[in-house]
Amino acid sequence: MLVLSVLSGLVLAGPAVAIVSQDGTGRLPAMGWNSWNEYGCDIKDSDFIKVGELLISLGLKDVGYEYVNIDDCWSDKEKRRDPTTKEILPDEAKFPQGISHTAEVIHSLGLKLGIYSDAGTDTCGGYAGSLGYEEIDAASFSSWGVDYLKYDNCNVPTEFFDEYEYVPEGPNTDAPIGYDWGTSKTAKRYNAMRDALLKQNRTIQYSLCAWGHAHVEQWGNNTGHSWRMWGDIMPAWEGKSEWSWGLMPIVNQASFLWNATDFWGHNDWDMLEVGNGNLTIEENRSHFALWCMLKSPLIIGTRLDTIEKPILDILSNKELIAFNQDPVYGASAMPLKWGYNEDGTSDMVHPAEYWVGTSVKGLHLFMLNTQDKTVKMQVQFNSIPALRHRANAEYLVHNMWTGKDLGRFRGKIALDVAPHDTAALRITTIYGRHPRPEWTP
Ligand SMILES: *[C@@H]1O[C@H](CO)[C@@H](O)[C@H](O)[C@H]1NC(C)=O
Ligand SMILES: *[C@@H]1O[C@H](CO)[C@@H](O)[C@H](O)[C@H]1NC(C)=O
Ligand SMILES: *[C@@H]1O[C@H](CO)[C@@H](O)[C@H](O)[C@H]1NC(C)=O
Ligand SMILES: *[C@@H]1O[C@H](CO)[C@@H](O)[C@H](O)[C@H]1NC(C)=O
Ligand SMILES: *[C@@H]1O[C@H](CO)[C@@H](O)[C@H](O)[C@H]1NC(C)=O
């Protein structure tokens, strides 16, 4: 199948021309699994094949997970590149038959294979990076049968440092008003790999791992299919540890920049930690609901061979996945109000708690309890923009977690929400119709 994306479109582009491929790759948030959160560098060919088989036997492929992604540490750390062709050499101990063998088996399972590289001299783990080798590496990935590239941001040489620095966690130096971050050297490093990928005769989903630097949300849609928005995630509710962050600081950033997402280009709030660390069941649940609601890529990061039923159930929730993968409405849910804080407050413990979005099934309300105690959370229907026209009507409210209707409500909906849990609700007319299909966030 021919795959050529609209390179000419990109070159001629005004703002917001995404990498639109004929087969639809990247139109919706990617769904899959990645080795990093549980395996780190301790990876080998057979791990990925086993994961592919488990995605099928656990029913995860059936609900949409399709990418099996190799993260850092897959190449030969000593030899790095072939001395003549300069191609990156896979680690023969980890991948004895090369990456193309892994790809072949993964494809035979009806799944897709992802790989990892870095827009610097070395990856974060110190393996060969792709800066300056974009065309050679894109050609290798394509010839091996790779379908997805996560492109990291470590080890950038000084001549590629940005003129103005923007790191979302700050502090930052000020850029001139109106500065176009799409001209930054960060954008140039990522665009070089985009151009190399577009020259290949293969669709490769392009996942920018630029950590929100250089305001990637302003130019990412011209460059790739998704872009990381913050430092690394860790399996904790709040706080930070070195360069990794808990869930609430990430949701705080999303409270302000949720709107950079739409079809073909997605804010990436990082891979899922559902099932990892010391999250409670409510926190595991909130994590998944929030990432679905934000239209983030859904990349599982937990071990599948020992996965527990409650975790599998969360990752398999069809209604939340359907919201994330909606074919008609591309926008993320948006904050309706902050709740705990005054609207618009930046708070890494108590971000926006009340969110509304829309799908082909109806209007959706997500209520996140950021407090350590059970809270009665409530919303007046007349405060929801999409319902203002019929604020006094009766609505049918449905619980997306249980798949059951909660009943009819008039005036407002109020529910007790457990500490750190998220109520995920669908609101329709009492006949089950969308109350206002023309509204979007
Ligand atoms: C990204 O680009 C696509 C394709 O051009 C467009 O449909 C979408 O609205 C853009 N996203 C945003 C947030 O502007
Ligand atoms: C592109 O790949 C397809 C099959 O994947 C093949 O049929 C076609 O000949 C290739 N085109 C070029 C220009 O290599
Ligand atoms: C998102 O909202 C901000 C603040 O309102 C605005 O400056 C920005 O242009 C919006 N972005 C998009 C892609 O609509
Ligand atoms: C959330 O995930 C972690 C890891 O499996 C687990 O420790 C915690 O208990 C989970 N919640 C469950 C399964 O209730
Ligand atoms: C979870 O782990 C983090 C960091 O390891 C720790 O700060 C926090 O207290 C732990 N939470 C619980 C509930 O054990």
Side-chain angles (χ1 to χ4, degrees):
M1 207 187 314
L2 186 62
V3 224
L4 261 203
S5 310
V6 282
L7 181 55
S8 57
L10 287 165
V11 172
L12 301 172
V17 175
I19 305 188
V20 175
S21 50
Q22 292 179 359
D23 69 358
T25 294
R27 179 172 183 263
L28 301 174
M31 293 178 69
W33 180 94
N34 172 295
S35 50
W36 187 256
N37 287 352
E38 270 305 308
Y39 291 78
C41 281
D42 186 15
I43 50 169
K44 56 184 181 307
D45 176 69
S46 57
D47 295 333
F48 296 95
I49 292 169
K50 198 166 78 182
V51 163
E53 290 164 352
L54 283 162
L55 286 175
I56 294 169
S57 62
L58 293 169
L60 290 165
K61 180 185 177 215
D62 285 343
V63 297
Y65 296 94
E66 62 174 339
Y67 289 100
V68 177
N69 292 349
I70 303 172
D71 206 276
D72 201 356
C73 314
W74 58 267
S75 68
D76 190 314
K77 200 169 186 178
E78 303 305 318
K79 296 198 199 118
R80 295 171 70 95
R81 293 179 179 276
D82 181 287
T84 324
T85 65
K86 305 292 180 204
E87 281 183 48
I88 299 195
L89 300 168
D91 183 321
E92 284 181 6
K94 293 174 180 169
F95 296 90
Q97 300 173 79
I99 303 294
S100 53
H101 171 262
T102 320
E104 211 171 281
V105 179
I106 292 298
H107 292 160
S108 75
L109 296 172
L111 296 164
K112 295 177 174 171
L113 186 75
I115 208 160
Y116 165 100
S117 191
D118 188 284
T121 55
D122 295 70
T123 68
C124 301
Y127 297 73
S130 293
L131 187 66
Y133 294 90
E134 290 86 356
E135 298 223 354
I136 293 172
D137 292 351
S140 296
F141 302 152
S142 173
S143 75
W144 296 340
V146 165
D147 306 293
Y148 181 111
L149 173 65
K150 170 177 168 181
Y151 205 42
D152 218 337
N153 199 24
C154 283
N155 299 305
V156 177
T158 48
E159 67 267 30
F160 281 93
F161 283 7
D162 285 334
E163 310 73 328
Y164 307 102
E165 192 181 23
Y166 176 79
V167 172
E169 300 91 328
N172 293 301
T173 53
D174 286 336
I177 290 170
Y179 176 69
D180 177 2
W181 288 94
T183 66
S184 66
K185 290 186 186 174
T186 297
K188 288 187 175 123
R189 286 184 293 119
Y190 280 88
N191 287 342
M193 181 54 90
R194 170 200 64 194
D195 294 343
L197 291 172
L198 288 174
K199 284 184 187 156
Q200 310 307 315
N201 183 17
R202 184 171 187 85
T203 303
I204 298 183
Q205 173 134 193
Y206 187 24
S207 155
L208 318 181
C209 188
W211 312 325
H213 289 197
H215 280 292
V216 63
E217 78 282 356
Q218 295 178 15
W219 49 270
N221 205 28
N222 286 342
T223 304
H225 298 110
S226 62
W227 45 87
R228 274 277 304 282
M229 288 293 285
W230 192 257
D232 285 356
I233 195 169
M234 65 178 183
W237 185 249
E238 60 189 61
K240 113 174 245 230
S241 168
E242 294 184 85
W243 51 81
S244 298
W245 299 75
L247 305 179
M248 288 305 100
I250 298 177
V251 176
N252 179 52
Q253 183 75 345
S255 302
F256 297 93
L257 292 175
W258 58 273
N259 67 341
T261 281
D262 208 330
F263 289 126
W264 300 107
H266 297 96
N267 286 331
D268 178 353
W269 300 104
D270 207 355
M271 303 179 293
L272 297 169
E273 294 281 15
V274 176
N276 297 340
N278 63 1
L279 301 178
T280 65
I281 188 76
E282 291 81 10
E283 292 170 343
N284 281 313
R285 204 157 43 203
S286 283
H287 182 10
F288 192 67
L290 296 168
W291 266 235
C292 285
M293 162 192 101
L294 292 167
K295 305 270 170 131
S296 182
L298 301 175
I299 307 292
I300 297 170
T302 198
R303 288 191 75 100
L304 295 182
D305 52 354
T306 55
I307 194 166
E308 294 163 29
K309 177 81 163 59
I311 298 300
L312 182 60
D313 287 347
I314 291 172
L315 293 169
S316 312
N317 183 291
K318 285 189 184 153
E319 296 197 25
L320 286 161
I321 292 173
F323 183 90
N324 181 268
Q325 299 284 305
D326 196 279
V328 173
Y329 298 94
S332 158
M334 68 171 209
L336 175 67
K337 59 178 176 180
W338 255 245
Y340 182 88
N341 279 312
E342 208 171 298
D343 290 355
T345 305
S346 178
D347 182 336
M348 296 212 193
V349 180
H350 302 287
E353 293 184 311
Y354 295 83
W355 296 70
V356 283
T358 189
S359 81
V360 291
K361 292 280 173 59
L363 196 71
H364 297 260
L365 175 65
F366 301 90
M367 301 193 292
L368 157 69
N369 178 5
T370 64
Q371 298 191 55
D372 297 332
K373 56 173 196 216
T374 297
V375 173
K376 184 173 290 298
M377 301 191 75
Q378 54 183 318
V379 166
Q380 302 285 338
F381 290 135
N382 67 9
S383 73
I384 301 178
L387 299 184
R388 268 181 207 138
H389 67 308
R390 287 177 70 236
N392 296 322
E394 205 177 18
Y395 293 102
L396 181 64
V397 178
H398 172 92
N399 182 348
M400 296 169 78
W401 281 118
T402 60
K404 300 216 168 78
D405 292 341
L406 287 173
R408 295 178 178 191
F409 292 78
R410 194 188 292 277
K412 68 173 184 185
I413 171 93
L415 290 177
D416 284 335
V417 181
H420 300 180
D421 207 350
T422 296
L425 307 172
R426 186 182 74 209
I427 301 171
T428 59
T429 69
I430 55 169
Y431 307 108
R433 298 206 194 93
H434 199 304
R436 190 136 199 225
E438 66 277 23
W439 179 85
T440 60

